[in-house]
Amino acid sequence: MYYLNDGHIRAIGSDWHTLRGLVEQTLRLTGTPEVVQPLKPYLRYGDPGNRIIAMPAYVGGDTAVSGMKWIASFPGNLAIDKPRAHGAIILNEPNTGVPVAVINGALVSQLRTAAVSAAMLRAYMDLGRRDRYRVGLVGWGPIGRRQFEMLTALHGDRIDEIRLHDRRGIDPSTIDPAWRDRTIVADDWREAYQAADIVVTCTAATDRYIDEAPSPGALLLNVSLRDYKADSVKNVRTVVVDDWREVCRENTDVELLHRETGLSEGDVLTLREVVWDEALKGRAEADPVFFNPMGMAAFDMAVAAHYWREGQRLGIGAWLED
């Protein structure tokens, strides 16, 4: 098998146009026999706040790979200076099942997560609601930093300012020097949230805290899935999910809306419909868009397969031999 770790992934680099395209092309195949991904199981033991998730999938087309991501989320790690998330991906040759690669590290997951946001973001910006944008980003862990990197790389010429907040504080030296003059570190989440055209939540919050309605027409990239109290978003008419079966469980904000307001699968749009069917077109300009991505294993396989092949092409990585 071919082996890649986070250092190898960093050496290969992150072309955000390519990563976004991988997500979009996988979405095009979703709903056909070319994408197969069973409902992912959660392994819990000891502290109920911890979980390890198995995410198997097959993706055909140019990706042509099957495999599984095994991703652990232990929020308490932050208190002992360890990353919250750790993951490993195994890729299999789809026709024989032979394992061909193992990728150790959470960086691929971070890149996939931001690439999914990028696909949603492009569809939103294509609506032409504004020429310039203000961003509010809550949560400055690894996921938040990848979102920042993606936003500035793909849309930096249209962003006037980014307001960052993390309840643990933010070291200004961790902000890209090229963006420090347009980045404000906020003392409170409200400073990042209020009046933002694009809100990105990337926290490990155990209690919901957002209790205010979003700005008219704003895009809410609800990456961490458990930040919004129901009253704050109960009147949002445009809710987008990657997969209803996945996201309407595990105490997500979508499940909360399902329980408290009756939100159902027929009330939401899928990311595939948004990207490929232009499902946001015709929506009222003042309507916020509430995007809730639980995470699709097919996206992980597409991104991991890209790095596996690029690693071999560039000679970055290592062969594991008998």
Side-chain angles (χ1 to χ4, degrees), residues 235-285:
N235 294 320
V236 174
R237 292 179 291 183
T238 304
V239 178
V240 183
V241 302
D242 49 2
D243 186 306
W244 174 264
R245 296 181 312 143
E246 290 285 6
V247 79
C248 190
R249 61 182 185 136
E250 293 293 326
N251 192 36
T252 64
D253 294 336
V254 166
E255 186 186 28
L256 181 68
L257 289 172
H258 174 65
R259 292 196 310 261
E260 296 197 5
T261 72
L263 183 76
S264 68
E265 185 173 6
D267 300 320
V268 306
L269 300 174
T270 67
L271 183 57
R272 187 196 185 284
E273 291 170 331
V274 166
V275 169
W276 287 101
D277 300 334
E278 299 184 324
L280 294 181
K281 296 282 179 72
R283 300 265 166 164
E285 187 170 327

Side-chain angles (χ1 to χ4, degrees), residues 132-200:
R132 313 289 301 175
Y133 295 87
R134 295 163 297 178
V135 176
L137 197 159
V138 183
W140 192 238
I143 297 292
R145 297 183 196 194
R146 290 295 87 73
Q147 299 281 327
F148 183 100
E149 182 183 324
M150 175 275 294
L151 280 159
T152 55
L154 291 177
H155 302 290
D157 59 337
R158 301 181 67 184
I159 295 174
D160 284 335
E161 71 170 28
I162 301 178
R163 290 179 178 256
L164 305 178
H165 171 72
D166 192 298
R167 62 181 179 81
R168 296 167 296 170
I170 295 174
D171 180 351
S173 69
T174 61
I175 301 170
D176 182 349
W179 275 85
R180 288 178 191 166
D181 62 340
R182 281 187 278 173
T183 302
I184 299 168
V185 176
D187 293 328
D188 185 85
W189 67 265
R190 291 174 180 83
E191 295 178 43
Y193 179 77
Q194 293 170 344
D197 307 306
I198 300 166
V199 177
V200 192

Side-chain angles (χ1 to χ4, degrees), residues 302-313:
V303 171
H306 164 73
Y307 279 102
W308 162 52
R309 291 176 174 129
E310 280 295 282
Q312 292 183 87
R313 184 180 71 83

Side-chain angles (χ1 to χ4, degrees), residues 4-321:
L4 296 169
N5 59 27
D6 282 356
H8 298 136
I9 301 301
R10 283 190 288 270
I12 295 168
S14 51
D15 181 327
W16 289 106
H17 293 278
T18 295
L19 295 174
R20 179 178 62 190
L22 292 169
V23 169
E24 292 172 341
Q25 290 306 312
T26 304
L27 282 168
R28 185 176 61 84
L29 299 175
T30 302
T32 77
E34 294 300 296
V35 170
V36 180
Q37 49 182 5
L39 196 67
K40 54 196 180 191
Y42 286 63
L43 173 64
R44 285 194 169 90
Y45 54 89
D47 184 342
N50 299 332
R51 61 187 184 271
I52 308 179
I53 310 170
M55 299 175 61
Y58 159 73
V59 183
D62 292 338
T63 297
V65 79
S66 57
M68 185 180 77
K69 181 170 78 169
W70 181 239
I71 182 78
S73 174
F74 281 56
N77 284 358
L78 298 175
I80 56 174
D81 293 324
K82 289 182 181 290
R84 174 190 63 82
H86 296 266
I89 296 173
I90 295 177
L91 300 179
N92 300 78
E93 200 284 323
N95 295 325
T96 65
V98 173
V100 292
V102 59
I103 301 175
N104 184 19
L107 184 53
V108 167
S109 289
Q110 297 167 22
L111 295 169
R112 179 271 285 166
T113 301
V116 172
S117 294
M120 179 70 238
L121 192 59
R122 173 147 76 170
Y124 171 77
M125 285 191 163
D126 282 350
L127 296 174
R129 290 181 174 181
R130 296 170 181 81
D131 293 325
R132 313 289 301 175
Y133 295 87
R134 295 163 297 178
V135 176
L137 197 159
V138 183
W140 192 238
I143 297 292
R145 297 183 196 194
R146 290 295 87 73
Q147 299 281 327
F148 183 100
E149 182 183 324
M150 175 275 294
L151 280 159
T152 55
L154 291 177
H155 302 290
D157 59 337
R158 301 181 67 184
I159 295 174
D160 284 335
E161 71 170 28
I162 301 178
R163 290 179 178 256
L164 305 178
H165 171 72
D166 192 298
R167 62 181 179 81
R168 296 167 296 170
I170 295 174
D171 180 351
S173 69
T174 61
I175 301 170
D176 182 349
W179 275 85
R180 288 178 191 166
D181 62 340
R182 281 187 278 173
T183 302
I184 299 168
V185 176
D187 293 328
D188 185 85
W189 67 265
R190 291 174 180 83
E191 295 178 43
Y193 179 77
Q194 293 170 344
D197 307 306
I198 300 166
V199 177
V200 192
T201 47
C202 308
T203 75
T206 55
D207 297 307
R208 292 176 170 88
Y209 57 93
I210 296 178
D211 55 5
E212 299 181 11
S215 299
L219 171 63
L220 310 179
L221 296 172
N222 188 22
V223 176
S224 43
L225 293 167
R226 300 168 184 88
D227 294 79
Y228 289 83
K229 295 185 177 182
D231 282 349
S232 67
V233 287
K234 67 180 182 182
N235 294 320
V236 174
R237 292 179 291 183
T238 304
V239 178
V240 183
V241 302
D242 49 2
D243 186 306
W244 174 264
R245 296 181 312 143
E246 290 285 6
V247 79
C248 190
R249 61 182 185 136
E250 293 293 326
N251 192 36
T252 64
D253 294 336
V254 166
E255 186 186 28
L256 181 68
L257 289 172
H258 174 65
R259 292 196 310 261
E260 296 197 5
T261 72
L263 183 76
S264 68
E265 185 173 6
D267 300 320
V268 306
L269 300 174
T270 67
L271 183 57
R272 187 196 185 284
E273 291 170 331
V274 166
V275 169
W276 287 101
D277 300 334
E278 299 184 324
L280 294 181
K281 296 282 179 72
R283 300 265 166 164
E285 187 170 327
D287 282 355
V289 178
F290 189 33
F291 179 46
N292 294 264
M294 190 66 153
M296 289 172 56
F299 298 149
D300 290 286
M301 296 307 107
V303 171
H306 164 73
Y307 279 102
W308 162 52
R309 291 176 174 129
E310 280 295 282
Q312 292 183 87
R313 184 180 71 83
L314 297 170
I316 297 172
W319 284 101
L320 302 179
E321 300 177 354

